[in-house]
Structure formats: C-alpha cells, structure tokens
Amino acid sequence: MAVDIKGRLSEYFVSIIPVDKEKIISLLEKPSNPGFGDYAIPCFEMAKEKKKRPDELAKELSSRFEGNEIIVRAEARGAYLNLFINRSYFTGEVVKEISRKGFLGLSKKGKNKTVVMDYSSPNIAKPFGIGHLRSTVIGNSLKKIFSFLGYRVIGINHIGDWGTQFGKLITAFKKWGNDDSLKHDPINYLYDLYVQFHRESEKDPSLEDVAREWFNLLEKKDSEATLIWKKFRDLSIEEFRRIYHRLGVEFEHYTGESFYSDMLDSTVEKVQASKITEVSEDALIVPLDDMPPAMLRKKDGSTLYLTRDIAAVLYRKERYNFDLALYVVGSPQMLHFRQLFKVLEKMGIKWGSQCHHIPFGQIRFEDQSMSTRKGNIIFLEEVMDKAVGLASKIIDEKSPHIDNKMDVAEAVGVGSIIFNDLRNSRIKDITFNWNEVLNFNGETGVYLQYTHARISSLLEKYSQKAGGVSYDDSLQFGEEGYDIAILLNDFEDTILKSAQDFEPSIIARYLLELASAFNTFYNAHRVITEDEGISRTRALVVLCVQKVLKTGLELLGIKVVEEM
RNA sequence: GUGCCCAUAGCUCAGUGGACAGAGCAUUGGAUUGCGGAUCCAAGGGUCGGAGGUUCAAAUCCUCUUGGGCACGCCA
C-alpha cells in the first residue's frame, strides 16, 4: 500500500465535523488548477444534505480548520474547500515508503490465481506484419502486469496452423515450390506462394478444388500432406521465435489450432449433450438470443473456428483451472467471442464469466487497405529495423563513446515501436504513419528511455561524489520533489487499474507524466549541490523515479538502458 | 437492414458526474561560462460531431440524430 494521503486527510476531517470517512475519501480530488491547492473537496453534495449553500458550507468548514502537521491550511473558494498539505512531509513519506519496499510484491491480488492468456496468434505462412504487433505487445504487457500482481500466467500462442489455407499452400508448394527457397526464408516464401496461389486461381478456379482436396487429406492424416504441413509449421515457428526474441516476448505454449483437431468430435458431443443445438440447413448450430446463431458443423460435417475455440477453452479450463482467461484478439472478432461465451453460458458452464475478450483497434494504412492476399503489407521486421537504424544513427552522433551501441540501439528502437503501440487506448484504430513511428521526441518510448538513461548517469555521478544513497529518518525533504512524489505514490493504483481494465496504456500514460515531472524538476533544480542534505534528499527522489520508470517500462515489455 | 465500436486543438490522442477542457506533434519565440538540449519554458490554436433530456453540476449518464469503421450460419 502506498502512502494513504486521502485517508490521512480524511481522518483529520472527521475529527472536526460529523461525516463519514469513506465519503470524504471519495470526494477528495485534485484541483483543476494547481494554484488552488493540493486537494479539494466539492461541497455541493454535503450542502444539499445539510440544506445549506455550498459556498457557505465550504467557508464554514475552512474556518474550522487549524493548521496541523499534514494540512497547512484550508481555503474556501466558491463551493470548493481547497486544502494545502504539507508537501515536504508527504514527499518524505512517499520516498521512505518506496525506499523501504522497492515495489517487490506490492499487491498480492493475484496470489494463488491463474490467468490463461491467448495472444499474438499469427497465421503460419502469413508474414508477421505490423497488424500482428498489437495482439503481441498488448498481450505481452498484460502478461507482465498480471505476473507482477502475483498471478500465475500461462501465455498461449494460438497459432493459426490449421484450416483450408493449408490446402492452398500445399497445392502451391507442390506446383511451384522447392525446399531450398522454403528453408532459406520460410514465411516470406510461403507468403509468396500464397499470393501466387490467389493470382493463379483467379485464372484457373480448379486450383481451389485441388486445395480443398489437400486439406481433406491433411485432416485424414495423409502422410504426404502431414509431412509438408509439419515442415511449414516447424520452419515458420522458428521464424516467429526470432521475432519474439527481438520483442522480448515469450510464451508458455505454442499450441495452435491443429492441437485441438482431435478434440473436436468430443467437443461437439458435449455441446449436443446440453441440448442446445439444432440442425438448420444441414448445419449444426446453437441458436442464440439477440445474436446470430453459432455454427458448430458445416453441412459437409467439418468444424469451424468457433468449434476449435470451444474445444480450446474446455481444454484450458481442465488443464490449468484458470481464474481468468483472456483473449487478446482484434475488435472485428467481437461477435465471435460473444457467441463463444454465450454458448458456454447456455451449456450451463458457470466459469464462462471468467473468460474475457480483450479487443483492440486495427492498424490502418493511409493509402490503401492492406490485403494479405494481394501482397500489400508492412513487415514488422522492416519497421523494427528502421527504428533501430535511426536510433543507431543518433547514438553515433550524440553518444559515440558508449559501449555496446548495437544493443542499446536495438533496445531503444524496438522499445519505441512497442511504446507507440501501447500508449493509446487499445480500442482505437491506428493509422500507420512512418513519421510517427520514427519520431523520437515528445510522448514516445524514447523519451522515457532517455529520461531513465539520464537519471542513471546522474545517480552514477552522485554516487561517485557522495557514495550510496539510502533513506533515513533524519532527512529533511523540501517541497521541490512534491509533484514527483505524488505521482510515485500513484504507481501501485495505476498498475491495479491497468490490470482491471486490461489496459497497458494506463501505465504508458502514467510513465509519460512521471518522466515529464522529473524533467521539469531536473531543469529547475540541481541534484548534486554543495549542501549534502539537499543533495541526498533530491538524489533519493530521483532514485525512486528511476525505480518506477524501470519497473513501469518492464511492465510494458520494454527493456531499459543505462545510457544511450 | 441489424448489432458493436469510434467522433475532443491543424494532426495524434488524454480526460467516464465537479472549478476557466489537457498533453504531444506541427508552427512561432525563448533557455546551457554547472548533474546528458533525444531536454526544459512560453505563445497562438477548441460551438468536446449535432439536438433534446437527467442533474445543484455533463466531454463524461439517457434518448434521438449525423459521419466514419467493423461484424453479421457454412473463412479465420
């Protein structure tokens, strides 16, 4: 628990007037204008209860306040009671608290709880475009956030490794492909074959029939089809792993759609056993209220994506006994997940409410809509390479002396790509823009990295001059670190809120605010001064900022650097 | 046609019941004989898509409406 400032303030409040403590805590807010005070209580509601005029009540309350060790003065301004608190005191309290616990195991919210996360989930044989970045980095960040809160997190990469598209790929590979090209650059090569298939099949529709036949064989475990499919899969996953490594993303399992292919019949039987299915137009469906029916089997008897997802969720519940199951999948699939969860509900499954779809907006492109089939796509690796290249160039200009430049450029470049994706609400669509992606100024990941690096350098200099820095009760804090301390104190609540809303951007925004507060402080005050006491208290504040920045960036899945 | 999502400064976005609506980018002007200028400070720029309603109080909640996006039984 952070320093409970509102609780402390409200305690004093209830000692002078008869009012519920929780009520005051819920009313306490930050004034819109910092000049009005540090905290404020709007008096409209209490005035109504007491049948008084709000401004008079505020005035009356202010007159009852006496200065004490935590509240310096209280001032009525219109219907608001503005409080000026002891900034030095609270700055010290916050620094003390952070120095003491260092954010290890802050909240035990997730203790003994398991969350299963389904994220990234690219399709084999489709290149890892920036479209896949979102699910990957949002999922990865949520995974780190929940782990931080003590949850056991199972990350599952639900690879798209099954379906009629593999019939197409096998057809194309057998017709035009060769092993050498495949091994050399598997995903791009398969992608080329995929594009070529669609080009050729427009001229010769019979190719579609050949493709269907190959997928049919694959489902029947035909040895040749299986061998080719497995080769595609293994080589592709190898490629994906390389990209994930660059992004710092890890999964507990790479169980794709094919993993569930043997469970489909029994899954359909389970759904049928709950007597909610119907046969309609030769297909097996589950009629749903207020939404289109969910289809379990096509008229030709084969199953669908939804059937596989039902199989997957039943399997995951049985295997992991999760308390929470998250699907980090784009917003176009909202209906699909509503249907999935509704089917669970109709089956009488109580834990269905533990499953959540975490939707996010799509990446759009300024000119054309990107079609995988036609071959228009921006590759994630291209984006990462450009960002890293730019970072590297700037490092050469500005910091030619630093060690391991390549590693630093990689961390800064990739980090900026990740941050760019996480800084806004997930649900918003993103229009891809090179200028924005490669911008290293302002509200960017680079800004945070730079701030962290500069703090590291500052603290290094400080320790060379004055030795290590640690908290002790004799220190007298000034007011200059107050804005920072208030933000530092919000860190834990920020993490909890981002977990509750499944929204990494809340942490991203918070870190920008914190870094900005630090940079303002840094420009206005010297840390290393002739006064030992002042230097030490300021260095402690800065040390806390460093801790929070580092922890926060790691929660977003971004590696921090000491210099850049 | 039905359902869901989005709409706030030129651009990209914060802000889910409280005081004159905030950032970044872009534009303009400033800051370094001292801790990293990838920084900081300042200026201009807004009928919060529109109309009703609820409330002491609405960008925020409700209804309607306009514009954009997505989805809608045999793809995933």
Side-chain angles (χ1 to χ4, degrees):
Chain A
M1 187 67 189
V3 180
D4 185 13
I5 300 178
K6 286 186 180 182
R8 303 273 298 269
L9 297 179
S10 64
E11 264 164 38
Y12 179 72
F13 208 91
V14 296
S15 75
I16 60 162
I17 56 160
V19 63
D20 187 37
K21 185 179 166 188
E22 293 306 314
K23 185 76 207 169
I24 295 299
I25 290 177
S26 71
L27 284 174
L28 274 168
E29 61 185 39
K30 302 245 170 81
S32 56
N33 182 334
F36 292 171
D38 300 310
Y39 284 88
I41 300 174
C43 298
F44 304 101
E45 219 175 308
M46 283 190 291
K48 203 171 185 182
E49 282 168 20
K50 296 182 196 302
K51 301 201 191 310
K52 287 182 182 171
R53 279 177 46 181
D55 54 335
E56 279 174 5
L57 180 64
K59 211 166 202 170
E60 186 194 325
L61 291 176
S62 73
S63 69
R64 289 207 218 171
F65 269 96
E66 288 171 19
N68 61 37
E69 71 279 6
I70 58 168
I71 303 172
V72 179
R73 67 194 160 94
E75 194 177 274
R77 188 183 181 104
Y80 289 82
L81 181 69
N82 291 320
L83 306 175
F84 293 80
I85 69 171
N86 186 339
R87 294 181 162 210
S88 307
Y89 171 75
F90 279 108
T91 302
E93 287 292 288
V94 170
V95 171
K96 177 183 177 179
E97 185 70 7
I98 296 174
S99 304
R100 198 166 55 76
K101 71 191 173 190
F103 294 119
L104 296 170
L106 274 188
S107 165
K108 292 174 181 164
K109 195 174 189 275
K111 203 179 172 205
N112 297 324
K113 288 188 182 162
T114 298
V115 47
V116 170
M117 295 192 43
D118 186 321
Y119 61 106
S120 195
S121 310
N123 278 325
I124 279 177
K126 281 190 195 163
F128 208 94
I130 48 168
H132 293 98
L133 179 64
R134 303 217 70 198
S135 173
T136 308
V137 298
I138 292 168
N140 185 53
S141 175
L142 289 176
K143 183 180 173 188
K144 291 190 188 273
I145 291 165
F146 278 94
S147 296
F148 188 83
L149 293 174
Y151 288 82
R152 175 174 76 128
V153 187
I154 313 290
I156 298 176
N157 198 347
H158 193 67
I159 302 255
D161 60 0
W162 205 245
T164 47
Q165 55 175 329
F166 286 92
K168 296 176 183 177
L169 282 169
I170 294 172
T171 306
F173 183 71
K174 283 194 68 83
K175 223 169 160 60
W176 309 297
N178 66 76
D179 270 333
D180 288 344
S181 305
L182 180 67
K183 283 190 178 127
H184 178 251
D185 188 2
I187 295 175
N188 285 329
Y189 186 62
L190 288 174
Y191 175 56
D192 289 342
L193 287 175
Y194 188 73
V195 173
Q196 187 174 0
F197 179 89
H198 279 278
R199 209 170 41 228
E200 301 285 338
S201 68
E202 274 178 26
K203 287 178 270 176
D204 178 6
S206 72
L207 284 173
E208 298 277 359
D209 297 330
V210 179
R212 255 191 291 278
E213 181 52 28
W214 271 113
F215 183 60
N216 217 316
L217 288 169
L218 185 59
E219 282 195 301
K220 288 177 184 152
K221 302 193 190 304
D222 170 80
S223 62
E224 186 186 6
T226 304
L227 201 69
I228 298 173
W229 169 80
K230 196 167 179 328
K231 189 155 58 183
F232 291 170
R233 185 179 192 274
D234 291 347
L235 290 169
S236 297
I237 287 180
E238 217 171 284
E239 285 282 294
F240 289 145
R241 281 185 196 275
R242 203 189 67 245
I243 294 172
Y244 291 134
H245 182 72
R246 280 189 82 177
L247 287 169
V249 171
E250 286 173 358
F251 298 91
E252 273 62 38
H253 302 289
Y254 279 74
T255 43
E257 291 177 43
S258 62
F259 180 79
Y260 304 97
S261 56
D262 291 338
M263 307 174 197
L264 296 174
D265 289 341
S266 65
T267 298
V268 170
E269 281 165 22
K270 273 180 210 160
V271 182
Q272 280 177 310
S274 61
K275 306 209 187 296
I276 56 174
T277 58
E278 268 178 25
V279 174
S280 163
E281 295 171 36
D282 294 329
L284 184 67
I285 63 161
V286 179
L288 303 172
D289 323 315
D290 306 327
M291 58 182 119
M295 191 181 293
L296 300 177
R297 272 194 201 282
K298 301 191 258 186
K299 64 181 169 199
D300 68 4
S302 59
T303 57
L304 296 100
Y305 180 54
L306 181 76
T307 325
R308 291 195 276 280
D309 263 356
I310 295 171
V313 75
L314 294 175
Y315 171 82
R316 289 171 189 177
K317 184 62 181 182
E318 189 177 323
R319 168 136 185 219
Y320 304 110
N321 192 26
F322 57 73
D323 299 279
L324 211 53
L326 307 181
Y327 294 87
V328 186
V329 181
S331 58
Q333 293 189 41
M334 275 196 280
L335 177 60
H336 166 75
F337 285 103
R338 278 179 49 219
Q339 290 175 315
L340 171 63
F341 302 153
K342 194 72 185 178
V343 168
L344 296 180
E345 189 188 317
K346 294 200 87 154
M347 287 172 75
I349 289 172
K350 296 212 171 52
W351 48 263
S353 59
Q354 295 172 331
C355 303
H356 299 267
H357 176 213
I358 315 298
F360 54 84
Q362 294 173 288
I363 296 192
R364 312 186 166 288
F365 300 87
E366 280 158 332
D367 312 332
Q368 63 222 320
S369 68
M370 289 288 175
S371 160
T372 309
R373 292 184 175 196
K374 289 191 176 142
N376 301 318
I377 193 164
I378 295 178
F379 298 101
L380 176 59
E381 287 215 281
E382 183 191 354
V383 180
M384 287 197 283
D385 287 343
K386 278 199 180 162
V388 171
L390 181 62
S392 173
K393 193 175 141 225
I394 298 175
I395 290 167
D396 279 336
E397 285 167 15
K398 304 196 176 193
S399 321
H401 60 281
I402 68 171
D403 302 328
N404 54 21
K405 281 190 216 169
M406 290 309 291
D407 292 345
V408 173
E410 177 79 13
V412 171
V414 173
S416 79
I417 302 294
I418 295 173
F419 189 84
N420 185 247
D421 211 296
L422 293 180
R423 79 177 158 179
N424 294 139
S425 320
R426 322 180 302 269
I427 200 66
K428 300 252 170 152
D429 288 346
I430 293 178
T431 300
F432 184 85
N433 179 308
W434 278 109
N435 290 334
E436 211 170 292
V437 169
L438 297 179
N439 174 30
F440 287 174
N441 302 320
E443 293 179 330
T444 64
V446 177
Y447 177 73
L448 300 179
Q449 301 265 36
Y450 177 73
T451 304
H452 181 268
R454 189 199 237 174
I455 289 173
S456 302
S457 156
L458 172 58
L459 290 175
E460 174 63 23
K461 281 208 170 66
Y462 176 86
S463 70
Q464 275 171 18
K465 187 176 179 219
V469 35
S470 61
Y471 180 88
D472 72 67
D473 287 325
S474 70
L475 290 168
Q476 296 291 312
F477 284 81
E479 292 193 353
E480 69 277 0
Y482 175 77
D483 290 341
I484 291 174
I486 283 299
L487 280 167
L488 292 171
N489 202 46
D490 284 342
F491 187 48
E492 184 174 4
D493 285 344
T494 302
I495 297 171
L496 289 169
K497 178 103 165 69
S498 78
Q500 185 190 313
D501 294 356
F502 309 113
E503 186 62 273
S505 70
I506 293 174
I507 291 176
R509 292 269 150 205
Y510 166 85
L511 294 176
L512 287 171
E513 242 187 288
L514 178 64
S516 174
F518 166 78
N519 282 312
T520 297
F521 169 89
Y522 179 86
N523 268 271
H525 307 284
R526 288 194 58 77
V527 173
I528 302 168
T529 69
E530 296 310 311
D531 185 307
E532 198 185 315
I534 289 178
S535 302
R536 192 142 156 243
T537 57
R538 290 181 180 172
L540 269 169
V541 171
V542 172
L543 180 67
C544 293
V545 174
Q546 185 192 40
K547 267 188 195 172
V548 171
L549 268 184
K550 182 169 192 283
T551 308
L553 281 166
E554 283 166 357
L555 290 177
L556 298 179
I558 295 172
K559 291 190 197 101
V560 298
V561 295
E562 305 300 316
E563 52 182 0
M564 61 189 268

